[in-house]
Amino acid sequence: MLRNAIRILQRFGSREGILTGHFDRLLVSGKAVSSRDRTKCVSFFLGIDGGGTKTECVVGDNSRVLGRSVGSTIKIKKVGEDAAGRALESAVAEACRSAGVTPQQITRTCIGIAGSSIPEVTDWTYSVLKQLVAGEVQVVNDALIAHHAAFRGRPGVLLIAGTGSNVLGINDCGESGRAGGWGPMISDEGSGFWIGRRAVAYAMRAYDGKQPTSLLDAVMRAWDLKTIEELVSMANSNPPPDFSSLLPAVLQCADGGDKLAGEILISAAEELARLATIVVRKLWPEISKVNVAVTGGVFAHSPQIRQRFGELVRAKHPGAAVNLEPVHPVMGALSMARKCNSASAS
Amino acid sequence: MLRNAIRILQRFGSREGILTGHFDRLLVSGKAVSSRDRTKCVSFFLGIDGGGTKTECVVGDNSRVLGRSVGSTIKIKKVGEDAAGRALESAVAEACRSAGVTPQQITRTCIGIAGSSIPEVTDWTYSVLKQLVAGEVQVVNDALIAHHAAFRGRPGVLLIAGTGSNVLGINDCGESGRAGGWGPMISDEGSGFWIGRRAVAYAMRAYDGKQPTSLLDAVMRAWDLKTIEELVSMANSNPPPDFSSLLPAVLQCADGGDKLAGEILISAAEELARLATIVVRKLWPEISKVNVAVTGGVFAHSPQIRQRFGELVRAKHPGAAVNLEPVHPVMGALSMARKCNSASAS
């Protein structure tokens, strides 16, 4: 019942609902920590960012960060439940160890994951974490922890461009709105996957037209392939290959002055700015000052995308305050785990 | 040995080789029909177009078409070998029946298939056909039969936009060149698959931005889906859904004045014109008169795409003679089966 209620709230909240304040409070599940418990021991909180490529954990008390870890992805659609379970267990164990606490001392955990609107993903994550750590477990969308890391519950628009892409905005009335993030086949514009796939497409187009580009060689090297046939077969395999693993190769080609690679980065920035505009227009129909923040490997590793994205958003929305320093979503998860605690105890 | 040689020639020919004249002659396999055979009986030829959505067969003698059939796809990557085998058998049987001949009376068969550069596909097609019909069997790329249908071995650029897209040009020196057709994940611009996938992407983008469009409802109806979640799950399933099945819905929306649907068709025409330009530039580096022809369901069913494509190609290449009446690839296959016969007998 409770898990169903959480799921409904998450799915509702993840598209058009109100995500702050009482939403967080409703998400708190299970028994509250009593005043007596709180006076006799310190509370420990676990924040987790379950991304498409890696899993980050951070353990803290009410104010400090005590330990961290980075493990492999727990995306079950990508690596399967067994590998994902092992990755989650080892990442949690390592973070706890580095913090000097046991998983049984954790008071509350908040995890943000891509694909939280898929019931199997949410259920699996919740049940595995419940076996790994003590206390309450909150499973939310990856965009929500990132937004929290950027704005701590205040209004703003958060752009994610990692393995996938996604935008979450929350306005002054607490209304939320999203854009993008509908999966690699039809969406995910400007993401690492999108950039990698476009790199292969542009490389093949250059091959067709006998145009010079360093992209084709870079892609072949990155994927350790020998022939064009191998590349085409790999690119069209089921399930699709990890196109986002080509991001470093594309960035390197662009740095080396490759025209096509540079065009791909500029078009990624344009796509991300377009997604931002969709959310700004939806949530701030009147001209207004809006805070925009960014996160994810694409923003973190490409100054060119950050700069062009910033220019485009400022040109479109002169009232926007754009912070191009990527935020750390896992810190939002930790903050939400703490916040839930105070909400449930109050 | 011979099959390997054919394969090598096909793979070579399918990208950069010389496809006409002696290439056809080399593809002729097995024993030649003797003069005695030719005088005592009529030769019957079978042409097959194995497309991504349907299989067309045509049976003829040296000059006339005697029978036809249309069956379901024989694309093994899509429907599996069993269903593909049954589809091929029934299409061949029906075409022979309607021509009043038996499969054992067929002198030579030519089949054009997408994916002919994949050894498994070529081997499977060859061995199944050898069991179904008498005489020689020639397995070639789908673009080659379409080009033959349009130009009968003369120079020209043939644009295919069906389930997938593809361009084959052969210039005055017999040199061939291709563009596109590298598979749906990285290429196939302007194809039915590309149009359908873009329709879902644009529908979701409109949903994000609360923009009005008839596309979302049309897609949901075409795929018999009830919720957005079902649509996103379907669009990202492995293997991917048949996006090209959405083409009629997109065309209908565009006819009804839907702005997004119209934009998709225009961009498909632009992509196809871009592919044509790649091949024209490669094979006709000097300004010259070049013949351009088209085929496939996208061109056949969308006057808007035909018109815009023609305008763009003529604007880019003022010397081009563009024929916008779609050709029938299966007639190219029949013609190649006949041509092989005269080549082997000569």
Side-chain angles (χ1 to χ4, degrees):
Chain A
M1 266 298 283
L2 182 61
R3 275 165 66 194
N4 269 343
I6 291 173
R7 204 152 73 201
I8 290 160
L9 274 165
Q10 283 169 334
R11 294 172 77 178
F12 173 71
S14 74
R15 298 310 307 179
E16 300 301 331
I18 293 165
L19 293 165
T20 48
H22 62 280
F23 174 72
D24 280 349
R25 197 167 312 209
L26 282 164
L27 274 175
V28 175
S29 56
K31 68 179 172 69
V33 179
S34 74
S35 319
R36 194 173 141 266
D37 288 340
R38 280 192 294 147
T39 51
K40 93 170 175 202
C41 67
V42 180
S43 294
F44 297 110
F45 305 101
L46 170 59
I48 310 177
D49 174 19
T53 304
K54 65 181 193 294
T55 303
E56 287 190 74
C57 295
V58 56
V59 171
D61 61 16
N62 273 305
S63 57
R64 293 171 304 167
V65 168
L66 304 170
R68 288 171 179 276
S69 71
V70 180
S72 51
T73 182
I74 58 165
K75 194 170 181 177
I76 56 175
K77 293 244 172 193
K78 192 171 171 181
V79 297
E81 291 191 0
D82 284 355
R86 284 193 299 273
L88 186 52
E89 184 174 2
S90 105
V92 167
E94 195 187 322
C96 287
R97 200 161 39 236
S98 77
V101 303
T102 69
Q104 291 313 309
Q105 286 178 280
I106 299 294
T107 307
R108 185 160 283 107
T109 296
C110 174
I111 181 168
I113 48 165
S116 69
S117 63
I118 304 165
E120 305 90 273
V121 173
T122 312
D123 286 354
W124 178 87
T125 309
Y126 181 87
S127 64
V128 171
L129 271 174
K130 281 299 278 182
Q131 288 168 36
L132 290 177
V133 292
E136 303 315 320
V137 169
Q138 180 186 15
V139 182
V140 299
N141 191 276
D142 57 344
L144 189 55
I145 60 167
H147 193 282
H148 209 83
F151 304 113
R152 306 278 154 165
R154 292 189 302 275
V157 175
L158 189 273
L159 272 282
I160 303 176
T163 307
S165 68
N166 215 343
V167 185
L168 173 62
I170 301 174
N171 70 7
D172 315 68
C173 309
E175 296 162 332
S176 72
R178 303 275 299 260
W182 297 111
M185 276 308 276
I186 51 167
S187 186
D188 266 5
E189 300 91 337
S191 69
F193 191 95
W194 185 94
I195 288 171
R197 193 169 65 158
R198 185 159 279 209
V200 181
Y202 277 31
M204 293 312 299
R205 196 179 289 181
Y207 177 81
D208 277 338
K210 298 184 177 172
Q211 300 288 316
T213 176
S214 59
L215 269 180
L216 188 56
D217 279 352
V219 165
M220 302 283 271
R221 264 198 313 277
W223 275 354
D224 194 22
L225 303 172
K226 303 253 172 316
T227 65
I228 291 287
E229 284 76 15
E230 282 177 0
L231 176 57
V232 173
S233 173
M234 172 107 172
N236 290 290
S237 57
N238 273 318
D242 183 7
F243 283 103
S244 64
S245 67
L246 298 175
L247 180 65
V250 181
L251 295 175
Q252 212 174 356
C253 289
D255 283 346
D258 188 275
K259 198 167 156 271
L260 286 183
E263 278 175 22
I264 292 171
L265 300 188
I266 294 300
S267 58
E270 288 167 355
E271 292 288 340
L272 291 164
R274 188 185 54 70
L275 289 178
T277 293
I278 288 174
V279 173
V280 172
R281 286 209 177 128
K282 189 158 57 170
L283 294 181
W284 287 267
E286 310 294 319
I287 297 163
S288 132
K289 184 171 161 55
V290 49
N291 292 312
V292 178
V294 302
T295 191
V298 169
F299 282 117
H301 297 116
S302 176
Q304 202 177 344
I305 290 180
R306 284 202 300 276
Q307 189 191 328
R308 186 72 190 128
F309 170 81
E311 287 167 5
L312 288 166
V313 171
R314 287 184 194 111
K316 206 90 175 169
H317 311 286
V322 188
N323 178 6
L324 294 174
E325 185 62 40
V327 298
H328 299 286
V330 71
M331 296 307 293
L334 177 63
S335 165
M336 286 182 71
R338 285 174 180 148
K339 202 175 167 195
C340 284
N341 192 47
S342 55
S344 72
S346 64
Chain B
M1 266 300 282
L2 181 62
R3 276 165 66 195
N4 270 344
I6 291 174
R7 204 152 74 202
I8 289 160
L9 275 165
Q10 283 169 336
R11 294 172 77 178
F12 171 71
S14 74
R15 298 311 307 179
E16 299 302 330
I18 293 166
L19 294 164
T20 46
H22 63 279
F23 175 71
D24 280 350
R25 198 167 311 211
L26 283 165
L27 273 175
V28 175
S29 57
K31 68 179 172 69
V33 179
S34 73
S35 319
R36 194 172 140 267
D37 289 340
R38 279 192 295 146
T39 50
K40 92 169 176 203
C41 66
V42 181
S43 294
F44 296 110
F45 305 100
L46 170 60
I48 311 176
D49 175 19
T53 303
K54 65 180 192 293
T55 303
E56 287 189 75
C57 295
V58 56
V59 172
D61 60 16
N62 273 305
S63 58
R64 293 170 304 168
V65 168
L66 303 170
R68 289 171 178 276
S69 70
V70 180
S72 50
T73 182
I74 58 164
K75 195 170 181 175
I76 56 176
K77 293 243 172 193
K78 192 171 171 181
V79 296
E81 291 191 0
D82 285 354
R86 283 194 299 274
L88 186 52
E89 183 175 2
S90 104
V92 167
E94 195 187 322
C96 287
R97 200 162 38 237
S98 77
V101 303
T102 69
Q104 290 314 310
Q105 287 177 278
I106 299 294
T107 307
R108 185 159 284 108
T109 297
C110 175
I111 180 168
I113 48 165
S116 69
S117 63
I118 305 165
E120 306 90 273
V121 173
T122 312
D123 287 353
W124 177 87
T125 308
Y126 182 86
S127 64
V128 171
L129 271 175
K130 282 299 279 182
Q131 289 168 38
L132 290 177
V133 292
E136 303 315 321
V137 169
Q138 181 186 14
V139 182
V140 299
N141 191 277
D142 58 343
L144 189 56
I145 59 167
H147 194 281
H148 209 82
F151 304 112
R152 305 278 155 164
R154 291 189 302 276
V157 175
L158 190 273
L159 271 283
I160 305 176
T163 307
S165 68
N166 215 342
V167 185
L168 173 62
I170 300 175
N171 70 8
D172 315 68
C173 308
E175 295 163 332
S176 72
R178 303 274 300 259
W182 297 111
M185 277 308 275
I186 52 168
S187 185
D188 266 5
E189 299 90 339
S191 69
F193 191 95
W194 185 94
I195 289 171
R197 193 168 65 156
R198 186 159 279 210
V200 181
Y202 278 32
M204 293 312 298
R205 197 179 288 183
Y207 178 81
D208 278 338
K210 297 185 176 170
Q211 301 287 316
T213 177
S214 59
L215 268 180
L216 189 56
D217 279 352
V219 165
M220 302 283 270
R221 263 198 314 276
W223 275 353
D224 194 22
L225 302 172
K226 303 253 171 319
T227 66
I228 291 287
E229 284 76 15
E230 281 176 0
L231 176 57
V232 174
S233 174
M234 172 108 172
N236 290 290
S237 57
N238 272 316
D242 182 7
F243 282 103
S244 64
S245 67
L246 298 175
L247 180 64
V250 181
L251 296 175
Q252 211 174 358
C253 288
D255 283 346
D258 188 275
K259 198 167 155 270
L260 286 183
E263 278 174 23
I264 292 170
L265 300 188
I266 294 300
S267 58
E270 287 167 355
E271 292 288 340
L272 291 164
R274 189 186 54 70
L275 289 177
T277 293
I278 288 175
V279 173
V280 171
R281 286 208 176 128
K282 190 159 53 170
L283 295 180
W284 286 267
E286 310 294 319
I287 296 163
S288 134
K289 184 171 160 56
V290 48
N291 292 312
V292 177
V294 301
T295 191
V298 169
F299 282 116
H301 296 116
S302 175
Q304 202 177 342
I305 289 181
R306 284 202 300 276
Q307 188 191 330
R308 185 72 190 130
F309 171 81
E311 287 167 5
L312 289 166
V313 172
R314 287 184 195 111
K316 206 90 175 167
H317 311 285
V322 188
N323 178 5
L324 294 173
E325 185 61 41
V327 298
H328 298 287
V330 72
M331 296 307 293
L334 177 64
S335 165
M336 286 182 71
R338 285 174 181 147
K339 202 175 166 193
C340 284
N341 191 48
S342 55
S344 72
S346 64

